[in-house]
Amino acid sequence: MKKAPVLPNDAERVKALKGLQILDTSPEVSFDQITELAASICDVKIALVSLVDDRRQWFKAKYGLSVSETPREISFCGHAIAGSDVFEVRDAALHPDFCDNPLVLGEPKVRFYAGAPLVTSDGFRLGTLCVIDSQPSRLDERKKRSLELLAKQVVTLLEARLDRQAANSLFSQLQEAQRIAHVGSWSYDLRTQEQFWSSEHYRIFEIPEPQPQESLWELYRQRIHPEDLPELDRLAARALKDGEGFVYNHRVYLDGGARIKFVQGIGRVTKTSDGKPAFISGTCRDRTDDVENENRYHDLIESMSEGLLVRNASGAVIQVNQAAKRILGLSEAQICGREPLPAGWRLDHEDGRRFEGWDDPSSVKCRTLGGEGDWILSLKASTDDRRWIRLHVFCVEAPAGKTTTWMMSDITAMVQAREEYRFVLETLGIGVWRYYPQAKKLHWNSTAHALFESDPSQFSGSVEAWEQALAPDGRKTAIEQFEQALRTQAQFFMTFEILTPSGKRKHLGARGTVVRNESGEAVLMVGVNWDRSNEVKMETFLQQERQNAIQNSKLASLGEMAAGIAHEINNPLAVIQANAFLLPRIKGDEQKFTDRLGAMTKATERIAKIVKGLRKFSRSTEGAEHRPERVTDIVNECLVLTEAKAKRHSVTIDAKLESQKQILCDQVEIEQVLVNLINNAIDAVSELPERWVVVSSLDEGDEVLIRVMDSGKGVPAEVEDKIFQPFFTTKSVGQGTGLGLSIARGILEQHGATLMLNRSLGHTCFEIRFKKKDA
């Protein structure tokens, strides 16, 4: 028995699993329903949501199984999480890795297993959604896809469950915070002199409630620290006169000064239609805990690994933590501008422009217009020290004006990794490019320049640079494909030919992604190029070999039909010979003479029709263009070529041609496919008591359907899945020199047509479906 492997990242994977807080939890209907649905879709007895930790596989949901876990080392799921695709064991009893597994030898007697990995948004494979049966089986592509989609739904439920738990926890914390915050409210109507205090307002100022309204203002003033009363009077007078709101931080004087509270009051003035103050309302909040926590906040800021720098509306630095000093390599005095920067110290944008800090245009835009900004900056602290910094800037409206917070982190290691990635791309010969459609600017990396053999110093950066490099004979098509991708596609793949400055022709592959804005306009294209010249050369060779194989198979078919066709020609030749012998003897009888000449003419036409069909059938189709052809004409010519074989085997061929439509095709290739299908049908029924073949055509919507049906009872089930495989045949050695269903299907696919076996008519029936040619 092969034990389930331990993955390279297993410790991190198990940590992520435990972080979901799902192991050993009670059953949940949403997961149980998925296992029931998976079992139904895949037609199996057992379905599980299996989570694999470091020692076991535990079943969060199970359908058709009673146990809740099994050891990891004997688990099938432990093997399944080693890959990203559906892991399928069609018959465990015959599989060398599982035939002696305890789960196969004992309950639940596993014979069939298929598991879709449960992959989190962070890329960890935590377990599987698996289906199990005690009988051998297999999943078709539809069932596999369904299992994968259900597995993604399981992951969505797992992550949503954790998010829901976090949200509930946060909601509880907010509720508790509101209770602890004790925010009071108050109001004063200037017209009626009525005042109102909430219970929390009374509690903050420690005044028993209720109190007479006329006493509230004086009671309030008695609680204000004597040193803070002048500011209170100033703000109150301004509010009453000018209608300006205020924020007032003051101290509450309790027990004759033995106790002090810190309170923040916020007031807002409501005015009448003529602009006069009419109503003042506001809140008060006990900030005593905040003040006591300021030291703790300072410690928290200092412990951050990210650098923090805060500037006020004037640009002065009002806060900077130790991490910012470390990342920038500066002292607080240097950051605040009180001391000069070290010699050689500078910050640059990615493109080499000097970053001007507070006065940098991008910083000014963020500060004046609001919002956020992100930059990658290069920091040169000395000749030998160069680091990379990610800077995130955001603005906050504060009572004293707009403050700007600068968060920074050292990403030198990440940039170095990116350089290593670039080295890999260059080693593999993969060029990376970016195109900005609105500015019509193009950027190539060094490998892309090498592929095009261009000089980076002479590169214009315009899309015309690429267009001019295209080979003249394919330039128009390549540009049209590129522009079509810009207009309608999200991703694209194309191959184009270039002519390098040295005169060398190359076929380059291109794959890219189009990024669009909210209006659907393309704003960026990112992609890669690579040299496909050898691939194109091989594809051309294989196409030629395919044409040779098709031509050889046609000649083999002609050889197989030769005897019958010779017999077909002999009959009209005998008619001609006999009438030629009689003509001199009946020349006196005008009617008989005319009749004999007519018979000779028909015999000649019969020979000409057969010869014409043979000549067309044997012609090579390489390079032939697709033309509009009538389906009736194609089928009739095929019947001429197969009539002799049918007669030789005493097989009746009927034609039921209802469609008069045209299809766009290479007529010779389509005739070759039909002749092969008809000959196969003749061979199949040649020894049956009932021998017939029906070739029919009819219109179905925008399609033309051609059927070749014979008196056989259908293709045996054991070969049905193999008949379209290359080199497969049911005929004896030395027979079956025709086209083969695999090649026939390939020819039709190149015509945009399909070849299928119809199992619903009770006889052997092959169907070809073409798109009609527009009239």
Side-chain angles (χ1 to χ4, degrees):
M1 180 192 75
K2 184 178 180 180
K3 293 183 179 180
V6 176
L7 305 185
N9 68 337
D10 209 60
E12 294 83 359
R13 187 191 66 81
V14 173
K15 182 179 179 181
L17 172 59
K18 292 181 178 179
L20 288 174
Q21 302 176 27
I22 189 70
L23 293 175
D24 300 309
T25 57
S26 300
E28 296 179 46
V29 172
S30 55
F31 294 97
D32 293 339
Q33 289 174 341
I34 288 180
T35 56
E36 183 177 355
L37 181 58
S40 175
I41 290 174
C42 298
D43 195 23
V44 297
K45 297 177 181 178
I46 299 172
L48 307 170
V49 173
S50 174
L51 302 173
V52 182
D53 65 16
D54 53 349
R55 60 181 181 82
R56 59 172 178 162
Q57 61 172 358
W58 176 78
F59 309 136
K60 171 59 185 173
K62 51 186 183 291
Y63 177 85
L65 190 69
S66 60
V67 299
S68 297
E69 63 180 63
T70 61
R72 176 177 176 175
E73 64 180 7
I74 67 171
S75 69
F76 283 61
C77 296
H79 293 271
I81 63 173
S84 299
D85 299 322
V86 173
F87 179 77
E88 186 176 17
V89 178
R90 296 177 179 176
D91 192 343
L94 301 179
H95 198 292
D97 294 341
F98 301 101
C99 59
D100 57 346
N101 189 293
L103 300 176
V104 176
L105 300 177
E107 292 298 331
K109 298 186 181 299
V110 177
R111 292 292 295 277
F112 168 74
Y113 171 90
L118 303 176
V119 185
T120 68
S121 54
D122 294 328
F124 292 108
R125 297 189 285 275
L126 307 181
T128 71
L129 172 63
C130 63
V131 291
I132 299 170
D133 209 326
S134 57
Q135 300 296 327
S137 185
R138 63 180 295 180
L139 298 183
D140 59 26
E141 291 303 315
R142 181 184 66 82
K143 292 180 180 179
K144 280 186 180 179
R145 180 59 177 161
S146 297
L147 194 64
E148 290 173 338
L149 292 175
L150 288 174
K152 291 180 179 179
Q153 185 62 28
V154 170
V155 174
T156 299
L157 288 174
L158 288 172
E159 295 181 338
R161 180 181 183 276
L162 185 63
D163 291 341
R164 189 166 58 252
Q165 289 177 339
N168 291 338
S169 175
L170 179 60
F171 180 75
S172 298
Q173 293 174 17
L174 288 174
Q175 290 289 89
E176 181 67 7
Q178 289 177 1
R179 187 188 67 81
I180 295 172
H182 299 305
V183 176
S185 61
W186 56 271
S187 62
Y188 177 53
D189 191 326
L190 298 176
R191 295 162 298 185
T192 65
Q193 307 299 309
E194 291 181 337
Q195 298 184 61
F196 169 79
W197 284 9
S198 70
S199 296
E200 200 62 37
H201 194 283
Y202 279 105
R203 192 203 65 78
I204 290 173
F205 287 91
E206 300 186 14
I207 297 173
E209 65 170 323
Q211 294 289 337
Q213 288 199 15
E214 60 271 16
S215 304
L216 292 180
W217 176 248
E218 189 58 34
L219 289 172
Y220 173 63
R221 286 179 57 82
Q222 291 174 4
R223 291 291 195 269
I224 303 300
H225 195 287
E227 295 177 1
D228 298 336
L229 273 174
E231 179 65 9
L232 171 63
D233 292 337
R234 186 187 72 81
L235 293 173
R238 190 182 68 175
L240 292 172
K241 179 182 177 183
D242 302 326
E244 291 189 30
F246 56 85
V247 176
Y248 176 43
N249 292 303
H250 60 282
R251 292 164 289 178
V252 175
Y253 199 65
L254 300 170
D255 299 337
R259 291 189 298 119
I260 298 293
K261 280 186 179 180
F262 295 88
V263 174
Q264 181 183 69
I266 299 176
R268 185 182 66 176
V269 179
T270 303
K271 298 180 181 180
T272 61
S273 58
D274 57 359
K276 294 181 179 180
F279 193 82
I280 304 176
S281 61
T283 61
C284 63
R285 182 172 66 90
D286 189 341
R287 293 186 61 251
T288 305
D289 290 341
D290 294 345
V291 173
E292 293 175 352
N293 286 331
E294 283 182 358
N295 289 335
R296 299 193 195 102
Y297 169 76
H298 180 268
D299 293 341
L300 176 63
I301 294 298
E302 290 302 314
S303 66
M304 290 173 56
S305 59
E306 293 82 6
L308 174 70
L309 186 152
V310 182
R311 293 179 181 268
N312 63 17
S314 302
V317 177
I318 58 176
Q319 188 170 22
V320 58
N321 69 352
Q322 289 296 327
K325 301 173 193 176
R326 173 179 52 79
I327 292 171
L328 295 174
L330 301 174
S331 67
E332 184 170 345
Q334 290 170 326
I335 292 174
C336 295
R338 298 192 298 270
E339 294 181 3
L341 296 175
W345 189 98
R346 62 179 290 164
L347 273 175
D348 294 322
H349 287 280
E350 281 187 286
D351 59 7
R353 291 181 296 111
R354 181 70 176 264
F355 183 74
E356 302 295 342
W358 182 250
D359 297 320
D360 191 82
S362 53
S363 299
V364 171
K365 181 178 179 181
C366 176
R367 184 174 75 249
T368 57
L369 300 181
E372 303 183 19
D374 278 286
W375 301 278
I376 302 296
L377 303 176
S378 170
L379 170 62
K380 184 179 180 183
S382 64
T383 304
D384 300 325
D385 182 16
R386 179 174 289 275
R387 285 174 287 141
W388 292 88
I389 296 173
R390 181 185 298 278
L391 179 63
H392 179 71
V393 178
F394 59 94
C395 299
V396 177
E397 289 287 351
K402 186 178 292 184
T403 63
T404 308
T405 301
W406 301 47
M407 299 290 295
M408 60 193 75
S409 55
D410 191 329
I411 59 167
T412 304
M414 184 185 76
V415 173
Q416 290 173 344
R418 186 174 65 182
E419 291 301 313
E420 293 173 1
Y421 170 70
R422 182 165 60 187
F423 170 75
V424 171
L425 290 179
E426 292 175 352
T427 302
L428 296 176
I430 298 176
V432 180
W433 54 268
R434 295 193 305 272
Y435 176 58
Y436 301 90
Q438 296 176 345
K440 294 187 176 181
K441 287 296 182 180
L442 181 65
H443 172 79
W444 285 346
N445 72 347
S446 59
T447 309
H449 281 289
L451 286 172
F452 284 84
E453 298 182 14
S454 67
D455 184 350
S457 65
Q458 302 298 318
F459 184 59
S460 67
S462 67
V463 71
E464 286 77 13
W466 170 70
E467 294 175 353
Q468 292 168 3
L470 296 171
D473 47 352
R475 179 175 296 156
K476 181 179 179 182
T477 300
I479 293 174
E480 288 176 350
Q481 285 182 282
F482 183 76
E483 292 177 344
Q484 178 68 21
L486 267 177
R487 288 192 298 270
T488 62
Q489 296 172 213
Q491 295 182 332
F492 67 93
F493 171 78
M494 60 186 290
T495 298
F496 56 84
E497 190 174 12
I498 65 169
L499 191 62
T500 68
S502 64
K504 182 179 180 181
R505 282 182 172 264
K506 289 183 180 180
H507 285 89
L508 299 186
R511 187 180 296 277
T513 297
V514 182
V515 180
R516 302 184 185 277
N517 60 20
E518 294 179 354
S519 302
E521 299 173 315
V523 295
L524 174 65
M525 299 180 75
V526 182
V528 295
N529 291 131
W530 68 97
D531 193 338
R532 292 195 68 234
S533 300
N534 290 334
E535 296 176 51
V536 172
K537 183 177 179 181
M538 180 57 69
E539 289 169 0
T540 303
F541 172 76
L542 293 176
Q543 179 65 18
Q544 183 62 49
E545 290 298 302
R546 174 185 174 277
Q547 290 293 335
N548 292 339
I550 293 174
Q551 185 67 13
N552 291 337
S553 68
K554 285 197 294 186
L555 296 177
S557 295
L558 287 172
E560 186 182 17
M561 296 186 295
I565 292 173
H567 177 73
E568 283 296 297
I569 294 177
N570 281 336
N571 287 338
L573 283 175
V575 172
I576 294 171
Q577 185 177 20
N579 283 292
F581 175 76
L582 292 173
L583 283 178
R585 292 166 175 74
I586 61 174
K587 62 183 178 179
D589 188 333
E590 183 177 351
Q591 183 60 46
K592 290 184 177 180
F593 191 85
T594 301
D595 291 344
R596 294 298 179 181
L597 280 177
M600 293 176 68
T601 299
K602 290 181 179 179
T604 303
E605 291 173 349
R606 173 68 175 163
I607 293 173
K609 189 174 183 180
I610 293 172
V611 171
K612 179 182 176 183
L614 288 173
R615 290 177 62 188
K616 181 186 288 187
F617 188 77
S618 62
R619 189 177 73 236
S620 172
T621 61
E622 183 176 3
E625 295 183 359
H626 290 189
R627 302 178 183 277
E629 304 288 353
R630 195 173 300 279
V631 171
T632 303
D633 297 338
I634 296 174
V635 175
N636 283 332
E637 292 204 14
C638 294
L639 295 176
V640 170
L641 293 173
T642 56
E643 184 179 1
K645 182 172 182 176
K647 289 181 178 179
R648 192 167 71 251
H649 292 284
S650 301
V651 176
T652 301
I653 300 183
D654 288 329
K656 299 180 180 179
L657 307 179
E658 299 177 12
S659 176
Q660 298 300 316
K661 299 296 182 180
Q662 291 183 327
I663 59 174
L664 196 64
C665 68
D666 179 337
Q667 183 175 353
V668 175
E669 286 195 340
I670 301 306
E671 287 181 3
Q672 188 179 1
V673 171
L674 282 174
V675 166
N676 182 71
L677 291 176
I678 296 170
N679 281 337
N680 284 350
I682 294 170
D683 289 338
V685 302
S686 60
E687 297 182 2
L688 297 179
E690 186 179 358
R691 305 172 188 177
W692 54 260
V693 175
V694 177
V695 183
S696 60
S697 69
L698 61 151
D699 298 326
E700 284 193 355
D702 62 345
E703 293 183 327
V704 177
L705 172 63
I706 301 177
R707 282 180 177 153
V708 178
M709 183 167 65
D710 61 53
S711 54
K713 299 304 180 183
V715 177
E718 61 270 17
V719 300
E720 188 174 310
D721 293 336
K722 304 176 183 178
I723 56 175
F724 290 107
Q725 296 178 3
F727 312 117
F728 179 80
T729 181
T730 58
K731 297 180 180 180
S732 304
V733 177
Q735 297 183 4
T737 55
L739 200 60
L741 292 175
S742 174
I743 299 179
R745 174 177 273 185
I747 291 174
L748 292 170
E749 287 177 349
Q750 288 194 340
H751 284 75
T754 59
L755 174 61
M756 301 294 292
L757 177 65
N758 188 330
R759 306 170 180 82
S760 65
L761 299 178
H763 294 282
T764 306
C765 178
F766 286 91
E767 291 184 348
I768 303 174
R769 291 182 180 270
F770 290 94
K771 290 290 183 183
K772 296 176 185 175
K773 180 189 178 298
D774 294 334

